[in-house]
Amino acid sequence: MTAVCELCREEDGSGGEILFRNDKLRVVLIDDGNYPGFCRVIWNAHVAEMTDLPPADRSLLMRTVCQVEEALRQVMKPLKINLASLGNMVPHLHWHLIPRYADDAHFPNPVWAPAARQTAPDVLAARQALLPALRAAVKQYAGCAD
Amino acid sequence: MTAVCELCREEDGSGGEILFRNDKLRVVLIDDGNYPGFCRVIWNAHVAEMTDLPPADRSLLMRTVCQVEEALRQVMKPLKINLASLGNMVPHLHWHLIPRYADDAHFPNPVWAPAARQTAPDVLAARQALLPALRAAVKQYAGCAD
């Protein structure tokens, strides 16, 4: 664990609202105006790569990622889900889960590319209005045995 | 399966050199001048999302992703591994595995961000020279029981 890792320091927040937490990981709803529903699944311990985890923990982490993906698909009804574990700036294992739509700010490019457009405010407001249902679905699915 | 999906049509190539293949998936070494060692793990059947697969297939796919990650780490010795399943343009399940270095074209940003620099040709040549060892390691690890 490094002294400066924000995902170790901000263990109670991690840049958003914690929707689920156990001794291994936490699920955080990110406050991103362009991407309502953007979630992260963050491994609690400070490891950098998937293959730094023993296989059983890799499976546990990906099972949670898939549970959050299920919740996102069911509630947000995106055109596509984007999953990414990057960590170049913060090398503490975390997964980005981003619901994507044809009218989002970057589609069809990754959200890290230059923006292509501004999504209409009423469209973003309609997606924001789904967040209570998303919170409930993540809390229902995350951590289930399968 | 759609008529136009390039990951269905190009099943024998998929934009690179197939290093491993079984009835479920294939591992492809991508020819990217800026990112020697860039690999993809491509699910053979035309499904869009991880959660379109039954849990056993999700596990099989991620086990292979981790096997390729191990090979990349062992041979290419990157500063970080980036993993991503995006599929906005080609909604056929595939994982990008990208070895990242402090002097690569985009670091610390994702490879989809605007380029930050041009990596020195001798550095890229040294990484290219590792590809025979990477091919061997992927072929050794991919598809093993664990």
Side-chain angles (χ1 to χ4, degrees):
Chain A
M1 186 184 293
T2 66
V4 296
C5 174
E6 67 186 69
L7 293 183
C8 288
R9 278 192 292 116
E10 295 180 20
E11 200 169 296
D12 292 330
S14 308
E17 174 189 346
I18 293 183
L19 300 184
F20 174 80
R21 183 190 175 94
N22 64 23
D23 61 329
K24 296 280 193 176
L25 55 81
R26 57 203 193 266
V27 179
V28 178
L29 176 62
I30 304 303
D31 182 15
D32 184 320
N34 281 320
Y35 289 98
F38 191 149
C39 289
R40 290 197 188 109
V41 180
I42 304 170
W43 195 251
N44 289 336
H46 187 80
V47 299
E49 307 285 9
M50 282 294 283
T51 52
D52 288 331
L53 296 179
D57 281 345
R58 298 174 202 171
S59 297
L60 180 71
L61 175 52
M62 292 313 296
R63 191 173 69 199
T64 304
V65 168
C66 286
Q67 288 165 336
V68 177
E69 179 179 299
E70 288 278 20
L72 283 168
R73 292 181 73 184
Q74 179 181 311
V75 174
M76 305 295 295
K77 302 199 186 317
L79 182 58
K80 189 72 189 66
I81 293 285
N82 285 181
L83 304 178
S85 170
L86 307 174
N88 304 320
M89 297 198 198
V90 183
H92 176 134
L93 187 60
H94 61 285
W95 282 90
H96 304 275
L97 293 92
I98 312 165
R100 301 299 308 274
Y101 305 86
D103 61 2
D104 75 30
H106 301 81
F107 201 87
N109 291 313
V111 301
W112 304 282
R117 70 189 64 80
Q118 178 59 53
T119 308
D122 61 321
V123 170
L124 290 174
R127 289 178 194 150
Q128 290 279 354
L130 299 173
L131 296 184
L134 178 64
R135 288 183 181 92
V138 169
K139 289 173 185 177
Q140 179 186 344
Y141 297 161
C144 289
D146 215 338
Chain B
M1 186 185 294
T2 67
V4 296
C5 174
E6 68 186 69
L7 293 184
C8 288
R9 279 191 292 115
E10 295 179 22
E11 200 168 296
D12 292 330
S14 309
E17 174 190 347
I18 293 183
L19 299 184
F20 173 82
R21 183 190 176 94
N22 64 22
D23 62 328
K24 295 281 194 176
L25 54 80
R26 57 203 192 265
V27 180
V28 178
L29 176 62
I30 304 304
D31 182 15
D32 184 320
N34 281 319
Y35 289 98
F38 190 148
C39 289
R40 290 196 187 109
V41 180
I42 304 171
W43 195 251
N44 289 336
H46 188 81
V47 298
E49 307 284 9
M50 282 294 284
T51 52
D52 289 331
L53 296 179
D57 281 346
R58 298 175 201 170
S59 297
L60 180 70
L61 175 52
M62 291 313 296
R63 192 174 68 199
T64 304
V65 168
C66 286
Q67 288 165 337
V68 177
E69 179 179 298
E70 287 278 21
L72 283 168
R73 293 181 72 184
Q74 179 182 309
V75 174
M76 305 295 296
K77 303 199 186 318
L79 182 58
K80 190 70 189 64
I81 293 285
N82 286 182
L83 304 177
S85 170
L86 306 175
N88 304 321
M89 297 197 198
V90 184
H92 176 135
L93 187 59
H94 61 284
W95 283 90
H96 303 276
L97 292 92
I98 312 165
R100 302 298 310 273
Y101 304 87
D103 60 3
D104 75 31
H106 301 80
F107 201 88
N109 292 313
V111 300
W112 304 283
R117 69 189 65 79
Q118 178 59 53
T119 308
D122 61 321
V123 170
L124 289 174
R127 289 178 194 150
Q128 290 279 353
L130 299 173
L131 296 184
L134 178 64
R135 288 182 181 94
V138 169
K139 289 172 184 177
Q140 180 186 344
Y141 297 162
C144 289
D146 216 340

